[in-house]
Amino acid sequence: MTKINDCERSEADCKIENCSKKIRKMAKIIDGKKIAEEIRKEMKEEVNQWIEKGNRRPQLTAVLVGSDPASCVYVRNKMRAAADVGIDSITKNLPSDITEKQLLEFIEELNNDNNVDGILVQLPLPEHINERTICNAVSCDKDVDGFNEKNVGRLCLDMNALIPCTPLGVQELLKRSNIETFGKKAVVVGRSKNVGMPISMLLHVDGRNDTDGMDATVTICHRFTPPEDLKMYCKQADIIITATGVPNLIKSDMIKPGACIIDVGITRITCPVTGKTKLVGDVDFENCKEIAGWITPVPGGVGPMTVAMLMHNTILAAKKLKEKRNNMNI
Ligand code: GUN
């Protein structure tokens, strides 16, 4: 089979429209699991140094209301990761029929507890509880999810804040993979308040304020973006970040050769033949990896980074709270 210059594909296999037979290689797979492991190793060291200076371990409390199986797995994984880096972690299991008032009182106790540095209320909550009210009740200083509206507002104003873990994980993946964002065209597919919106914010900021500037030109697409427009925007993008939960939304004919594709989507599907379930992202990975320059897999891409960034936020919260408590002589 003939190869195209130093392209890794045969001509017959080349899927790039109008390929000029220049230099095309298979996409680099961004291994989120490996990068997250490196970060966790660094954080373990950071926690050890913190303890050596005479501080107590950072403490993370997860609040799990009810027993949604997916939520239980997520919380268990987060708590395992916390223990692994030396963060003390506690899961508070509360009954699904707890009232909003009782949950607010419980959160207030955690807010006032000087042994707690980070509070995470696992979402979704039962329908009778207003998630916004609960997220806003978590002290901004302990809000390791970055979901309190004040932290969201601070992020939008490029001010120091605890930043939601998935957007922070995406930013860290881009940084550690040396993906240039300055002046690049980025498309974010999905505008959820906890993922798409904050990712867009991080990508466009100019770095003259508190947050790390990424200086990209950002287009946000969503469920009402017509498919032909979605394709047009994606095809121009140097970076595509998709977080919709729609499997196979991003196909190989929608991406620019060499683009960086970050897949935040995660959907469990059942194989109609075997009946087995598996996790898939928003991107047609097998075909897109033939054209992209970089691509994240699902699972093993953004997911592990979200957990690592939760640890990062907990350590950050612990350090800032220590300073605050010292200033207040607590
Ligand atoms: N449910 C799904 N993702 C998240 C998350 O990042 N934080 C919390 N608290 N709940 C979630």
Side-chain angles (χ1 to χ4, degrees), residues 1-26 257 290-291:
M1 282 201 296
T2 49
K3 297 256 175 183
I4 305 169
N5 296 344
D6 54 345
C7 176
E8 290 169 1
R9 277 185 289 277
S10 71
E11 275 188 74
D13 287 342
C14 182
K15 294 201 173 87
I16 299 174
E17 246 175 75
N18 305 322
C19 178
S20 59
K21 301 185 185 172
K22 290 203 194 106
I23 307 155
R24 289 294 314 132
K25 293 188 196 272
M26 300 278 274
E290 304 274 335
I291 295 176

Side-chain angles (χ1 to χ4, degrees), residues 78 120-123 145 147:
K78 289 171 188 177
L120 173 152
V121 182
Q122 184 65 22
L123 304 178
D145 265 323
F147 290 168

Side-chain angles (χ1 to χ4, degrees), residues 248-261:
N248 271 329
L249 179 69
I250 307 298
K251 299 188 181 65
S252 59
D253 65 349
M254 295 167 68
I255 64 176
K256 175 163 128 181
C260 171
I261 317 292

Side-chain angles (χ1 to χ4, degrees), residues 91-320:
T91 303
K92 299 282 188 185
N93 291 284
L94 301 176
S96 59
D97 61 356
I98 189 170
T99 64
E100 186 174 293
K101 185 165 173 283
Q102 286 169 326
L103 183 55
L104 287 170
E105 283 164 5
F106 189 77
I107 291 170
E108 196 50 24
E109 274 176 38
L110 297 176
N111 285 341
N112 294 328
D113 185 340
N114 284 324
N115 290 313
V116 174
D117 299 309
I119 303 169
L120 173 152
V121 182
Q122 184 65 22
L123 304 178
L125 290 168
E127 278 191 3
H128 65 278
I129 298 177
N130 184 314
E131 283 188 358
R132 180 57 23 232
T133 306
I134 298 303
C135 289
N136 288 347
V138 174
S139 155
C140 285
D141 297 328
K142 300 186 178 184
D143 176 28
V144 286
D145 265 323
F147 290 168
N148 182 305
E149 67 188 11
K150 286 193 189 140
N151 276 326
V152 177
R154 291 177 69 84
L155 168 64
C156 292
L157 294 169
D158 304 351
M159 293 163 76
N160 264 330
L162 285 164
I163 295 174
C165 303
T166 300
L168 206 52
V170 169
Q171 187 182 49
E172 199 60 30
L173 271 188
L174 291 172
K175 274 195 217 162
R176 291 190 183 231
S177 308
N178 293 318
I179 311 289
E180 180 63 271
T181 56
F182 188 92
K184 299 292 179 190
K185 293 190 186 78
V187 167
V188 178
V189 190
R191 58 180 167 182
S192 66
K193 295 295 171 244
N194 296 342
V195 182
M197 185 278 284
I199 285 175
S200 308
M201 287 295 156
L202 290 177
L203 277 165
H204 88 271
V205 297
D206 70 7
R208 282 183 297 180
N209 301 304
D210 297 340
T211 50
D212 283 344
M214 299 182 90
D215 291 288
T217 304
V218 182
T219 303
I220 304 172
C221 297
H222 48 75
R223 70 177 68 232
F224 298 123
T225 306
E228 60 277 18
D229 288 0
L230 177 64
K231 183 173 177 178
M232 183 264 293
Y233 288 122
C234 285
K235 195 118 192 151
Q236 292 176 11
D238 302 300
I239 300 163
I240 298 174
I241 296 170
T242 178
T244 67
V246 180
N248 271 329
L249 179 69
I250 307 298
K251 299 188 181 65
S252 59
D253 65 349
M254 295 167 68
I255 64 176
K256 175 163 128 181
C260 171
I261 317 292
I262 307 285
D263 192 349
V264 189
I266 187 156
T267 308
R268 185 169 288 283
I269 59 164
T270 306
C271 171
V273 181
T274 63
K276 283 189 182 163
T277 64
K278 66 169 182 172
L279 295 175
V280 295
D282 294 354
V283 176
D284 173 4
F285 180 83
E286 284 308 317
N287 288 311
C288 287
K289 80 174 195 297
E290 304 274 335
I291 295 176
W294 295 266
I295 192 165
T296 58
V298 175
V302 175
M305 292 298 290
T306 298
V307 178
M309 291 302 107
L310 176 65
M311 307 306 116
H312 164 87
N313 277 351
T314 305
I315 297 167
L316 185 65
K319 289 187 170 178
K320 288 198 168 171

